[in-house]
């Protein structure tokens, strides 16, 4: 199975900060990667797919990049509603797999 | 609008089976796959498998093969996930999610609200 490793696991930031989360794949996955945001007690919400395509309705402060084995999710200016956990997921090869997550908390 | 509505909380004893339903609305049910993902307390999501809502074909993660079954009733636009031989480490929130796209554009774009399954004696 393809392993996804996210870094950092935990991030403390302030409103307005630029935040970058990295997801590394154990083997090349082309651009078959999605990013999700999850708030406590809620289902994950799709933010980005195909590594860099913004899901409809998602604010433009979210962006994704990368291909092959290294990917990033960037939040250009952190807003209060962005404090949550973020997960990457690969679809290049089944079984699909998720990263272990990055929790973004208020500094 | 697309919605996936799941059945309610379940409490099961070890060794029992559980069947979770996922009713889809707001789109043509047979046009998309349904995926199942679970999340144990304090852990990240874990992908379990997918089902073609059209053909009924399935693909399960090896970890769940032999214990999980994904089915559907197209007449009522509902998908089901049944797991047998429950153990305490199967305690988790179980989500259904709609699969969209193909190749590099695959993603889970709509999710159910989740069903908590607790396995305890």
């Amino acid at each position: 199975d393809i392993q996804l490793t996210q870094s950092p696991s935990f991030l403390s930031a302030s409103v307005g900060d630029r935040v970058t989360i990295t997801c590394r794949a154990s083997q090349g996955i082309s651009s078959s990667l999605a990013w999700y945001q999850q708030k406590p007690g809620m289902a994950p919400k799709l933010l980005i797919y195909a590594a860099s395509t913004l899901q409809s309705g998602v604010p433009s402060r979210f962006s994704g990049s990368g291909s092959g084995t290294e990917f990033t999710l960037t939040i250009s200016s952190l807003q209060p509603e962005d404090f949550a956990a973020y997960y990457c997921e690969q679809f290049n090869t089944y079984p699909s797999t998720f990263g272990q997550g990055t929790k973004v908390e208020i500094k | 609008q697309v919605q996936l509505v799941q059945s309610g909380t379940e409490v099961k004893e070890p060794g029992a089976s559980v069947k979770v339903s996922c009713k889809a609305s707001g789109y043509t049910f047979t046009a998309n796959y349904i995926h199942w993902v679970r999340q144990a307390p304090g852990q990240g999501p874990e992908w379990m498998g997918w089902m073609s809502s059209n053909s009924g074909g399935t693909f399960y993660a090896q970890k769940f093969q032999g214990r999980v079954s994904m089915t559907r009733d197209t007449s009522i636009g509902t998908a089901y996930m049944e797991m047998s031989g429950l153990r305490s480490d199967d305690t988790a929130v179980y989500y259904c999610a709609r699969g969209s796209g193909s190749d590099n554009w695959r993603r889970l774009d709509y999710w159910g609200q989740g069903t908590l399954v607790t396995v305890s004696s």
Side-chain angles (χ1 to χ4, degrees):
Chain A
D1 298 358
I2 295 173
Q3 292 186 334
L4 298 180
T5 303
Q6 289 183 231
S7 60
S9 296
F10 176 86
L11 188 159
S12 182
S14 301
V15 172
D17 284 354
R18 181 182 182 86
V19 165
T20 298
I21 299 168
T22 297
C23 177
R24 288 188 174 87
S26 59
Q27 62 190 75
I29 58 170
S30 185
S31 58
S32 190
L33 188 102
W35 288 97
Y36 302 90
Q37 176 192 68
Q38 187 177 31
K39 296 181 179 179
M42 304 290 289
K45 173 188 172 185
L46 177 66
L47 299 175
I48 301 278
Y49 61 96
S52 60
T53 302
L54 193 68
Q55 171 69 354
S56 176
V58 173
S60 59
R61 63 181 180 272
F62 291 93
S63 64
S65 65
S67 67
T69 60
E70 186 152 337
F71 301 85
T72 59
L73 172 70
T74 299
I75 309 172
S76 60
S77 177
L78 201 64
Q79 297 302 299
E81 59 269 30
D82 300 337
F83 292 95
Y86 293 84
Y87 297 96
C88 55
E89 181 187 16
Q90 69 80 22
F91 286 97
N92 184 72
T93 305
Y94 286 117
S96 173
T97 46
F98 287 86
Q100 84 282 9
T102 296
K103 190 172 183 183
V104 178
E105 292 200 344
I106 301 172
K107 191 179 233 178
Chain B
Q1 71 283 20
V2 174
Q3 279 193 306
L4 299 174
V5 178
Q6 298 182 223
S7 49
T9 297
E10 301 269 8
V11 179
K12 296 291 182 180
E13 293 192 346
S17 297
V18 69
K19 190 171 186 177
V20 179
S21 67
C22 171
K23 182 166 177 59
S25 61
Y27 72 100
T28 301
F29 177 69
T30 52
N32 294 75
Y33 283 27
I34 293 290
H35 296 238
W36 290 88
V37 175
R38 75 177 186 180
Q39 190 167 28
Q43 303 298 309
E46 180 178 29
W47 186 84
M48 299 177 67
W50 57 249
M51 178 194 66
S52 165
S53 304
N54 185 31
S55 69
T58 56
F59 183 99
Y60 306 137
Q62 186 170 18
K63 175 177 181 175
F64 301 104
Q65 283 180 8
R67 270 209 313 146
V68 74
S69 176
M70 297 176 189
T71 58
R72 90 281 190 224
D73 184 339
T74 57
S75 68
I76 57 172
T78 299
Y80 303 92
M81 187 283 299
E82 185 168 20
M83 182 177 285
S84 61
L86 290 170
R87 307 184 290 254
S88 59
D89 62 357
D90 292 318
T91 293
V93 176
Y94 288 76
Y95 294 101
C96 61
R98 189 181 82 161
S100 288
S102 61
D103 301 317
N104 287 342
W105 286 268
R106 284 179 281 188
R107 69 270 191 192
L108 303 180
D109 57 357
Y110 290 91
W111 294 63
Q113 82 278 16
T115 297
L116 175 62
V117 176
T118 300
V119 183
S120 175
S121 55

